[in-house]
Amino acid sequence: MSSLIAPSILAADFGNLERDCNMVNCSEADWFHIDIMDGLFVPNISFGMPVVAAIQKYAQKPLDVHLMIIDPDRYIETFQKLGAEVLTVHYEACNHLHSSIQKIKSYGMKAGVALNPHTPINHLRDIIQDVDLVCLMSVNPGFGGQSFIENTFIKTMELKQLIKENHSDCLIEIDGGVTNQNAAQLISSGADVLVAGSHVFKSDDPLEKIKTLKNIT
Ligand code: DX5
Ligand code: ZN
């Protein structure tokens, strides 16, 4: 089965945001992946609400918003208003993860939780039944264009097992360093959603890169 493809707008050309959003609209991609960084939880700052509003204006596919910010509860309502269909918070950034997940759902969005590369899958045992998506970071969050961490394959298989044991329909998303070199093994390990930034936007033929990823089974 082919996976969902979510091009990461972080790697787009912000001087040509409308053009790059239209490329995704016309492509075989499924979602827009939108990275929000606060310079505290991660060492980088990406972009804020006005840019997400511009993406919302142009995007014709669901917005998958990845919050790399501390205390994300402050902005759940804001991102719902900005059109997020999936809202993902970090396990490491939430003191009360169960409450944050319920709050995201109460605003009608799918709730995701992201794990940094060092955070073990078994930390999800008591929350897996409540989440719609788990985002496994396959790089340390904060920057696009980094190399894929190979341990992600094992984590993906462990997470798939945990999801099965709990009879959950939670999706597994992989974020960071995804290319057509690792996509097949990720899918066979259990990945449902592949986020790809540089691999798509820094190529000469983004449409072709998306098509190739989409057709890997
Ligand atoms: C990293 C972000 C990723 C990033 C992926 O902190 O969460 O979504 O945009 O970019 P690539 O695909 O270039 O690693
Ligand atoms: Zn991301």
Side-chain angles (χ1 to χ4, degrees):
M1 212 178 67
S2 71
S3 55
L4 300 176
I5 306 300
S8 178
I9 293 296
L10 186 65
D13 176 355
F14 293 111
N16 289 289
L17 194 54
E18 182 174 5
R19 181 200 68 190
D20 282 2
C21 287
N22 280 331
M23 183 281 292
V24 176
N25 289 335
C26 295
S27 76
E28 292 184 35
D30 299 276
W31 294 350
F32 284 77
H33 185 82
I34 299 173
D35 289 308
I36 307 295
M37 305 177 184
D38 65 355
L40 288 169
F41 178 67
V42 289
N44 197 12
I45 296 174
S46 55
F47 48 79
M49 288 65 165
V51 175
V52 181
I55 297 167
Q56 182 187 21
K57 189 167 126 196
Y58 303 133
Q60 293 163 6
K61 294 179 180 180
L63 306 186
D64 168 36
V65 178
H66 176 193
L67 298 182
M68 283 160 275
I69 65 176
I70 56 167
D71 196 7
D73 286 29
R74 296 171 293 160
Y75 297 107
I76 289 174
E77 184 177 3
T78 301
F79 283 101
Q80 187 250 351
K81 289 198 173 118
L82 286 165
E85 288 193 28
V86 183
L87 191 62
T88 296
V89 295
H90 263 264
Y91 174 89
E92 304 84 1
C94 294
N95 287 330
H96 302 286
L97 181 61
H98 185 272
S99 165
S100 302
I101 293 296
Q102 303 312 325
K103 186 168 175 186
I104 293 170
K105 289 175 163 182
S106 77
Y107 280 94
M109 296 176 284
K110 288 196 182 353
V113 58
L115 294 192
N116 278 341
H118 70 273
T119 304
I121 296 297
N122 63 21
H123 284 22
L124 293 175
R125 202 191 60 191
D126 292 324
I127 195 76
I128 195 71
Q129 279 163 328
D130 296 280
V131 297
D132 299 302
L133 175 145
V134 174
C135 174
L136 293 183
M137 292 308 304
S138 37
V139 297
N140 284 291
F143 302 93
Q146 303 181 78
S147 300
F148 180 83
I149 296 171
E150 298 280 323
N151 188 51
T152 310
F153 295 125
I154 292 172
K155 285 183 85 172
T156 306
M157 291 187 281
E158 285 176 13
L159 176 57
K160 188 75 182 173
Q161 184 62 28
L162 183 69
I163 290 170
K164 270 191 194 155
E165 282 166 14
N166 284 275
H167 309 291
S168 157
D169 53 7
C170 169
L171 297 174
I172 301 178
E173 178 177 72
I174 310 297
D175 187 8
V178 172
T179 69
N180 55 15
Q181 298 298 303
N182 51 32
Q185 193 175 345
L186 285 169
I187 293 168
S188 67
S189 303
D192 303 294
V193 186
L194 300 179
V195 174
S198 315
H199 181 68
V200 167
F201 286 104
K202 308 297 185 200
S203 94
D204 292 337
D205 194 347
L207 284 171
E208 178 59 30
K209 293 287 183 201
I210 293 171
K211 187 185 174 73
T212 303
L213 283 176
K214 184 69 189 170
N215 287 291
I216 293 173
T217 53

